[in-house]
């Protein structure tokens, strides 16, 4: 017998403070609270620490504690290791998990520090001097044919490939309608439009409610090809082929049939109630040549007017794969690090497969430069970008821009409880239940996401100014402005940064 | 991979350039005097001069100025390298004169060299052979450093005050039609002769006052085109960037300078159609060539002298004219020291280049 495991959280209500307003009961979609006479009863076992109740309680009466009853501590046989075994011993199944990698790997970003100017050159004040954060995503010519004609006017003879122009290097990554609610997607799209950046559809198609924002939307083509037709491709500002995802490199996706409601079935173009299965590989891409063909196919279909991105998970060989992608007509390669979030992934993949984004970007940038093809693609970094400092650091390592995912959800209220796959998100984000979705007001959520991107962009301008740099291009790949703090020698070689004090 | 690199040298400096548009001879004593006017901007740790038109008898040869660490040991292997790559028409020690305040840690030498095109793969142009030779020799650090490699020009530099460096080379004995000079205030690696300006590759020489905050970006960019940064100072990338954009990519010098210090997007957004298009293209294609940080730069080749500053003009630059002569400097006083009767003095706007061309 295994019996019941100790509850993960303990919720308690201070009876002196509680005024029995029942807001916690209404708000908790996991059924933690119920009323019994003049008391609110609590079933802690249902709690996911989503904090909805804590946020709603007018009296601060609710307390939440993690691991109230622990196991005998052991460095190897952690609580997670033991509980995984209990669960699998009972069910014989793969364990599912949400959000990003939850193992305690060192965070490389937190061991890199940025530079600032003192005396020998002036730092710049963003309030007085222009600091440019405008970012172009797409192929750039390696050289230009610029000549003067007989009138002395400069003539450009090189044809430029269309680029996306973002007013900030912070873009919103792909989260599909299905994984998140329509209100959540609308909020992200409005925010993207407001701050002049872009958002991704994910592989769930493009709902008509997003059409007003389509010039700010990157439409995704994933292995399930859900929602893909010519109208979809033509509406997007750019197209992204999703090969892999940082949270689950090498495997596909699965949206259970119960989430495929009428709207989702229409948007994804699949029957209502049927499981939406994205196979692990694209069954028309078994080699880099096949990928190049699909890129070309999508370009042909849209008359070479749209940039095409290719997204891969950061795996050991990411640099060589990126170099292959750069040699196709693709315009950008998105590298999704092993901390990338997800609605649902097998825990063993989420926690153990792939490499950190910092190392992946450093090696991709280096490989592209070694081969003289860095201008052929933009590099978009994603997977665990938590703030403007991470953005600055990953750009200094060589990225052109970043995708944020989890951070944008957190800006809408998400508490990173990691239960997205259950479809009961009390914040109205990772759910399709109409009463829950209604809780997310796109007017408010869009403002919050826009505020977040604006705040990061301001901070980036300050960081650049302090470093004496007035344009984001001059930070890109500028690893001289980074130092490693308590990073080991071999990792510093991969990142090509020196240690602090050197 | 570069392995562990040293910090690029940070410097505040005085710079001056002068050109006679009719190739009239300008003696070295004037520029020596002008440079010493700016001793406030130096610290006696590095100064140098580049002179154009000084080797007319070898005008068709590449004039290689070389610093040897140890003439006994390092010269023979270097001669052997040159022999592999072409023929030496003539070589000699650069005449020097001991100065009490200047420690001669190197022996300067000059070679008049013709590369052998048949040795280059795929019949590369001679310029490519010589630039490859310079990169290899300087990266190898085998006791020989090529400090200039153009035709009919030479760079004379050392660690010391401008007067001492000038007297060491007896700079007044040379007559050129274009001169660049530099007085250095380094905050790092004192006494490294290779770190003194001007920096030169083939025809282009550069003097620079300021600090390039985008150095890491520029270095990674230029190295992906086969250049090797080996001087431990940010200025050398400027010489290589100009070489790449002008010689290899065929851009006019004013457009190349515009790529290095481009207009802000808000200005580009206001430009009319075609102009907006090519300026946008320039920023996209050469984003990583763009130089950031405070700087004033004077660069020259056989027919041109150009001065430009960073986009916000955080370092001073003054331009003076007198007859056929064009002066560009950090300080008006330096120009006046050379030319008391200077006719016009102006201060160009931020990012606006000043270009002088020699009459053909
Ligand atoms: S929300 Fe707070 S005050 Fe209201 S019933 Fe729940 S615990 Fe009591
Ligand atoms: S989106 Fe909702 S369910 Fe998912 S982690 Fe955030 S709060 Fe939890």
């Amino acid at each position: 017998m295994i019996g019941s495991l100790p509850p993960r959280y303990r919720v308690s209500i201070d009876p002196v403070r509680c005024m029995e307003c029942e807001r916690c009961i209404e708000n908790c979609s996991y059924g933690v609270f119920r009323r019994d006479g003049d008391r609110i009863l609590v079933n802690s076992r249902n709690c996911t620490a989503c904090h909805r109740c804590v946020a709603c309680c007018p009296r601060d009466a609710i307390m939440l504690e993690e691991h109230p009853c622990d196991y005998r501590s052991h460095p190897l046989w952690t609580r997670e290791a033991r509980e995984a075994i209990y669960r699998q011993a009972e069910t014989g199944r793969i364990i599912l998990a949400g959000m990003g990698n939850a193992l305690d790997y060192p965070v490389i970003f937190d061991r890199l520090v940025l530079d600032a100017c003192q005396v020998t050159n002036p730092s710049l004040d963003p309030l007085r001097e222009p600091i440019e954060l405008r970012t172009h995503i797409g192929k750039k010519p390696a050289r230009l044919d610029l000549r003067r004609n007989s009138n002395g006017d400069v003539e450009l003879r090189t044809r430029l490939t269309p680029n996306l122009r973002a007013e900030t290097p912070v873009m919103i990554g792909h989260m599909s309608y299905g994984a998140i609610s329509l209100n959540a997607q609308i909020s992200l799209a409005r925010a993207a439009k407001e701050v002049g950046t872009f958002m991704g559809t994910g592989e769930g198609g493009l709902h008509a409610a997003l059409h007003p924002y389509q010039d700010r939307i990157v439409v995704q083509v994933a292995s399930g090809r859900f929602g893909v037709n010519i109208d979809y491709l033509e509406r997007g500002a750019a197209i992204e082929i999703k090969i892999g995802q940082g949270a689950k490199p090498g495997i596909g996706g699965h949206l259970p049939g119960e989430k495929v409601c009428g709207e989702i079935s229409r948007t994804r173009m699949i029957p209502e109630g049927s499981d939406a299965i994205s196979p692990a590989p694209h069954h028309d891409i078994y080699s880099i040549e096949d990928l190049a063909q699909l890129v070309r196919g999508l370009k042909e279909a849209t008359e070479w007017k749209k940039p095409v991105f290719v997204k891969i998970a950061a795996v050991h060989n990411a640099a060589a794969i990126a170099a292959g992608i750069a040699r196709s007509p693709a315009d950008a390669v998105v590298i999704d690090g092993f901390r990338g979030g997800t609605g649902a992934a097998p825990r063993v993949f989420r926690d153990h497969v792939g490499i950190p984004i910092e190392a992946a970007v450093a090696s991709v940038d280096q490989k592209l430069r070694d081969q003289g093809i860095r201008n052929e693609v933009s590099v978009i970094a994603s997977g665990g970008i938590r703030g403007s400092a991470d953005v600055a650091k990953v750009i200094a390592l060589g990225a052109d821009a970043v995708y944020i995912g989890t951070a944008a959800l957190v800006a809408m209220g998400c508490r990173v409880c990691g239960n997205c796959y259950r479809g009961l998100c009390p914040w109205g984000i990772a759910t399709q239940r109409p009463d829950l979705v209604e809780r997310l007001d796109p007017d408010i959520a869009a403002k919050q996401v826009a505020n977040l991107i604006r705040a990061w962009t301001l901070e980036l301008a300050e960081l650049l100014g302090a470093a004496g740099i007035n344009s984001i291009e001059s930070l890109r790949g500028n690893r001289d402005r980074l130092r490693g703090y308590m990073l080991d020698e071999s990792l510093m070689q991969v990142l090509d940064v020196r240690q602090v004090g050197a | 991979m570069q392995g562990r690199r040293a910090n690029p040298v940070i410097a505040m400096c005085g710079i001056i350039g002068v050109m006679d548009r009719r190739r009239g001879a300008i003696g070295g004593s004037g520029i020596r005097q002008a440079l010493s006017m700016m001793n406030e901007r130096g610290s006696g740790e590095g100064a140098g001069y580049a002179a154009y038109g000084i080797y007319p008898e070898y005008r068709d040869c590449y004039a290689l100025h070389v610093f040897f660490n140890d003439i006994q040991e390092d010269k023979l292997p270097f001669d052997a390298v040159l022999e592999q790559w072409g023929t030496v028409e003539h070589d000699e020690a650069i005449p020097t004169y001991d100065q009490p305040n200047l420690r001669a840690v190197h022996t300067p030498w000059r070679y008049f060299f013709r590369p052998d095109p048949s040795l280059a793969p795929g019949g590369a142009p001679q310029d490519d052979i010589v630039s490859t030779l310079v990169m290899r020799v300087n990266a190898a650090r085998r006791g020989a450093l090529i400090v200039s490699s153009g035709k009919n020009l030479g760079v004379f530099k050392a660690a010391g005050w401008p007067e001492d460096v000038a007297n060491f080379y007896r700079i007044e004995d040379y007559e050129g039609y274009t001169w660049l000079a530099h007085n250095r205030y380094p905050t790092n690696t004192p006494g490294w002769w290779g770190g003194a300006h001007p920096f030169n590759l083939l025809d282009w020489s550069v003097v620079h006052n300021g600090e390039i905050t985008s150095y890491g970006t520029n270095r990674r960019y230029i190295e992906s085109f086969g250049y090797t940064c080996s001087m431990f100072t940010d200025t050398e990338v400027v010489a290589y960037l100009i070489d790449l954009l002008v010689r290899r990519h065929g851009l006019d010098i004013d457009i190349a300078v515009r790529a290095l210090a481009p207009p802000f997007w808000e200005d580009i957004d206001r430009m009319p159609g075609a102009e907006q298009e090519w300026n946008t293209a320039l920023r996209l294609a050469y984003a990583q060539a763009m130089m950031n940080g405070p700087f004033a730069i004077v660069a020259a080749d056989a027919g041109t002298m150009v001065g430009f500053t960073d986009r916000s003009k955080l370092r001073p630059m003054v331009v003076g004219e007198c007859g056929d002569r064009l002066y560009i400097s950090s300080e008006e006083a330096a120009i006046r020291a050379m030319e008391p009767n200077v006719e016009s003095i102006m201060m160009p706007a931020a990012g606006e280049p000043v270009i002088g061309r020699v009459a053909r």
Side-chain angles (χ1 to χ4, degrees):
Chain A
M1 173 197 140
I2 289 173
S4 49
L5 307 182
R8 175 112 190 240
Y9 308 102
R10 181 166 58 206
V11 183
S12 48
I13 293 181
D14 179 347
V16 179
R17 301 193 70 97
C18 176
M19 62 187 243
E20 292 146 50
C21 70
E22 296 191 3
R23 282 198 182 88
C24 50
I25 303 177
E26 276 157 43
N27 272 282
C28 183
S29 50
Y30 297 105
V32 171
F33 304 94
R34 89 191 129 85
R35 194 180 182 107
D36 181 26
D38 59 355
R39 282 189 330 152
I40 307 289
L41 293 188
V42 169
N43 177 2
S44 289
R45 232 170 237 292
N46 287 348
C47 178
T48 64
C50 76
H51 272 205
R52 182 76 189 183
C53 58
V54 175
C56 295
C57 173
R59 285 289 177 89
D60 284 344
I62 302 175
M63 281 307 300
L64 204 156
E65 219 182 319
E66 191 167 10
H67 301 159
C69 160
D70 226 326
Y71 294 78
R72 173 209 161 207
S73 62
H74 191 284
L76 186 65
W77 296 100
T78 58
R79 177 187 186 106
E80 289 73 24
R82 272 174 273 190
E83 291 191 347
I85 293 174
Y86 296 137
R87 263 191 268 161
Q88 292 190 305
E90 272 179 345
T91 63
R93 291 214 181 121
I94 290 172
I95 296 177
L96 281 188
M99 297 317 276
N101 197 319
L103 281 198
D104 188 21
Y105 295 103
V107 183
I108 300 175
F109 281 134
D110 295 342
R111 307 215 169 171
L112 286 171
V113 288
L114 290 159
D115 192 20
C117 295
Q118 301 286 291
V119 184
T120 55
N121 63 18
S123 33
L124 306 169
D125 179 355
L127 294 177
R128 296 179 45 201
E129 319 252 2
I131 306 269
E132 301 182 313
L133 292 156
R134 184 180 285 182
T135 300
H136 289 82
I137 305 293
K139 265 191 196 319
K140 322 275 190 295
R143 57 191 287 178
L144 291 181
D145 187 354
L146 272 178
R147 289 184 226 171
R148 284 213 155 71
N149 61 20
S150 44
N151 309 327
D153 294 335
V154 179
E155 241 177 67
L156 174 66
R157 307 214 180 161
T158 310
R159 271 210 32 196
L160 290 201
T161 324
N163 270 242
L164 287 192
R165 171 186 286 191
E167 297 304 329
T168 168
V170 181
M171 309 201 286
I172 303 170
H174 290 259
M175 292 171 282
S176 70
Y177 175 38
I180 61 173
S181 64
L182 189 57
N183 277 1
Q185 267 205 338
I186 292 172
S187 309
L188 297 175
R190 276 194 204 164
K193 189 160 185 122
E194 195 177 322
V195 299
T197 188
F198 295 87
M199 72 156 303
T201 55
E203 57 178 311
L206 185 72
H207 191 276
L210 281 108
H211 290 175
Y213 315 100
Q214 63 192 27
D215 54 337
R216 291 283 157 192
I217 290 180
V218 180
V219 295
Q220 197 175 61
V221 174
S223 62
R225 301 287 151 89
F226 300 121
V228 179
N229 62 14
I230 186 66
D231 176 64
Y232 173 73
L233 298 177
E234 272 172 356
R235 283 183 188 276
I239 301 167
E240 178 168 311
I241 301 171
K242 174 189 164 186
I243 299 293
Q245 183 178 344
K248 40 182 172 176
I251 61 172
H254 180 188
L255 187 70
E258 58 263 30
K259 287 198 194 167
V260 182
C261 60
E263 285 294 300
I264 291 185
S265 98
R266 261 190 297 288
T267 313
R268 292 206 176 203
M269 304 176 192
I270 54 171
E272 210 171 317
S274 68
D275 286 9
I277 295 180
S278 309
H282 287 243
H283 283 301
D284 52 358
I285 304 179
Y286 282 15
S287 70
I288 193 88
E289 299 86 342
D290 292 346
L291 173 68
Q293 237 174 40
L294 179 60
V295 173
R296 208 169 298 119
L298 292 169
K299 289 237 170 201
E300 280 295 337
T302 51
E303 295 169 338
W304 297 82
K305 286 188 193 136
K306 316 262 177 196
V308 173
F309 305 173
V310 177
K311 171 172 165 178
I312 57 166
V315 289
H316 305 187
N317 205 18
I321 301 164
I325 294 169
R327 291 202 156 75
S328 78
D331 299 273
V333 48
V334 183
I335 321 266
D336 197 19
F338 80 158
R339 288 181 198 281
T342 178
R347 204 178 79 163
V348 64
F349 280 82
R350 187 195 68 178
D351 291 353
H352 298 281
V353 183
I355 63 170
I357 188 62
E358 301 92 327
V361 164
S363 60
V364 165
D365 179 68
Q366 187 60 45
K367 176 75 102 199
L368 294 175
R369 280 171 202 275
D370 288 348
Q371 303 191 1
I373 50 174
R374 182 61 183 85
N375 267 19
E376 290 296 312
V377 279
S378 292
V379 174
I380 302 171
S382 69
I385 305 287
R386 300 158 298 173
S388 58
D390 291 352
V391 180
K393 290 171 189 177
V394 84
I395 289 176
L397 286 171
D400 291 80
V402 303
Y403 268 164
I404 58 169
T406 305
L409 300 188
V410 172
M412 296 194 287
C414 160
R415 295 304 205 254
V416 198
C417 74
N419 282 266
C420 318
Y421 61 97
R422 293 172 59 188
L424 292 172
C425 176
W427 296 91
I429 300 168
T431 178
Q432 305 304 329
R433 227 172 76 181
D435 61 314
L436 298 178
V437 173
E438 227 172 65
R439 292 181 183 178
L440 190 74
D441 179 344
D443 288 338
I444 297 170
K447 182 113 251 128
Q448 288 164 194
V449 176
N451 276 345
L452 178 78
I453 296 177
R454 241 183 246 122
W456 286 16
T457 307
L458 282 175
E459 286 179 345
L460 279 173
E462 292 283 349
L463 287 170
L464 284 179
I469 292 176
N470 61 19
S471 175
I472 191 81
E473 292 107 300
S474 295
L475 181 67
R476 188 176 314 137
N478 198 343
R479 302 183 191 177
D480 291 50
R481 309 308 295 275
L482 288 174
R483 288 292 184 274
Y485 182 47
M486 316 263 281
L487 278 176
D488 66 63
E489 182 69 25
S490 54
L491 190 49
M492 286 201 296
Q493 242 162 43
V494 170
L495 302 177
D496 193 20
V497 298
R498 276 171 283 153
Q499 72 274 28
V500 287
Chain B
M1 289 277 292
Q2 276 271 292
R4 295 278 77 87
R5 306 172 313 269
N7 279 307
V9 173
I10 295 161
M12 183 192 90
C13 317
I15 57 176
I16 183 162
V18 53
M19 151 184 273
D20 189 297
R21 293 194 189 100
R22 298 195 179 280
R23 292 182 196 264
I26 306 171
S29 53
I31 193 104
R32 169 185 179 278
Q33 210 180 341
L35 197 58
S36 50
M37 283 306 296
M38 296 189 286
N39 275 346
E40 182 66 19
R41 290 185 160 270
S43 63
E45 291 189 43
Y49 304 82
Y52 286 76
I54 54 172
Y55 299 132
E57 65 277 33
Y58 294 107
R59 67 175 75 239
D60 296 328
C61 294
Y62 291 86
L64 306 180
H65 278 199
V66 182
F67 289 162
F68 288 116
N69 287 355
D70 180 337
I71 191 77
Q72 313 290 352
E73 269 194 23
D74 303 326
K75 185 167 181 301
L76 271 179
F78 180 76
D79 289 355
V81 171
L82 285 191
E83 234 154 81
Q84 268 176 24
W85 292 66
T87 43
V88 174
E89 292 280 307
H90 175 68
D91 76 295
E92 64 189 14
I94 297 176
T96 56
Y97 308 86
D98 286 348
Q99 301 298 317
N101 295 324
L102 193 150
R103 213 162 64 82
V105 295
H106 298 290
T107 309
W109 207 271
R110 61 192 164 210
Y111 292 81
F112 298 97
F113 175 72
R114 282 182 207 279
D116 180 348
S118 70
L119 297 176
Q126 299 211 342
D127 281 348
D128 282 356
I129 303 174
V130 174
S131 82
T132 310
L133 170 74
V134 172
M135 293 300 146
R136 292 228 187 134
V137 167
N138 290 352
R141 325 208 129 268
R142 298 228 174 80
L145 198 68
I146 303 179
V147 296
S148 65
S149 49
K151 290 178 178 169
N152 202 4
L153 69 92
V155 165
F156 304 88
K157 60 186 182 180
W161 290 100
E163 296 93 330
D164 293 328
V165 174
N167 295 342
F168 176 71
Y169 288 108
R170 209 175 271 173
I171 215 75
E172 65 263 33
D173 291 352
Y174 294 90
E175 287 198 328
Y177 60 87
T178 297
W179 286 84
L180 302 182
H182 184 268
N183 187 358
R184 173 155 171 258
Y185 189 137
T187 49
N188 204 342
T189 58
W192 157 238
W193 285 27
H197 301 214
F199 284 89
N200 162 283
L201 180 64
L202 300 170
D203 233 11
W204 284 99
S205 307
V206 174
V207 288
H208 161 225
N209 166 25
E211 179 177 339
I212 304 175
T213 54
S214 56
Y215 173 72
T217 301
N218 303 140
R219 181 181 61 80
R220 291 173 65 76
Y221 174 69
I222 203 74
E223 289 191 343
S224 74
F225 289 94
Y227 297 84
T228 311
C229 294
S230 49
M231 302 290 181
F232 309 122
T233 182
D234 51 6
T235 309
E236 76 173 317
V237 297
V238 186
Y240 304 159
L241 286 169
I242 293 179
D243 182 64
L244 176 73
L245 269 53
V246 175
R247 182 175 66 84
R248 286 171 60 182
H249 287 184
L251 298 183
D252 286 352
I253 182 65
D254 60 319
I255 295 177
V257 162
R258 188 168 263 256
L260 301 183
F264 285 99
W265 284 117
E266 57 184 43
D267 300 325
I268 294 178
D269 290 347
R270 281 197 292 268
M271 291 174 182
E275 195 187 352
Q276 184 178 83
E277 194 191 352
W278 75 259
N279 278 280
T280 301
L282 198 68
R283 284 206 63 173
L284 294 192
Y286 294 109
Q288 300 161 81
M290 160 171 151
M291 298 191 312
N292 233 293
F295 64 79
I297 287 173
V298 185
D301 76 346
T304 327
M305 181 169 79
V306 54
F308 61 106
T309 60
D310 63 87
R311 310 195 293 165
S312 303
K313 200 173 181 188
L314 295 169
R315 285 285 186 271
M317 192 171 90
V318 182
V319 177
E321 278 185 283
C322 189
D324 287 331
R325 301 218 170 147
L326 172 70
Y327 298 86
I328 307 177
S329 177
S330 318
E331 302 267 0
E332 185 177 335
I335 298 177
R336 291 201 182 274
M338 268 191 97
E339 189 64 73
N341 303 320
V342 62
E343 286 152 10
S344 76
I345 286 278
M346 66 140 191
M347 298 193 192
E352 188 180 291
V354 175
I355 299 177
R357 292 185 206 271
V358 173
R360 284 175 198 267

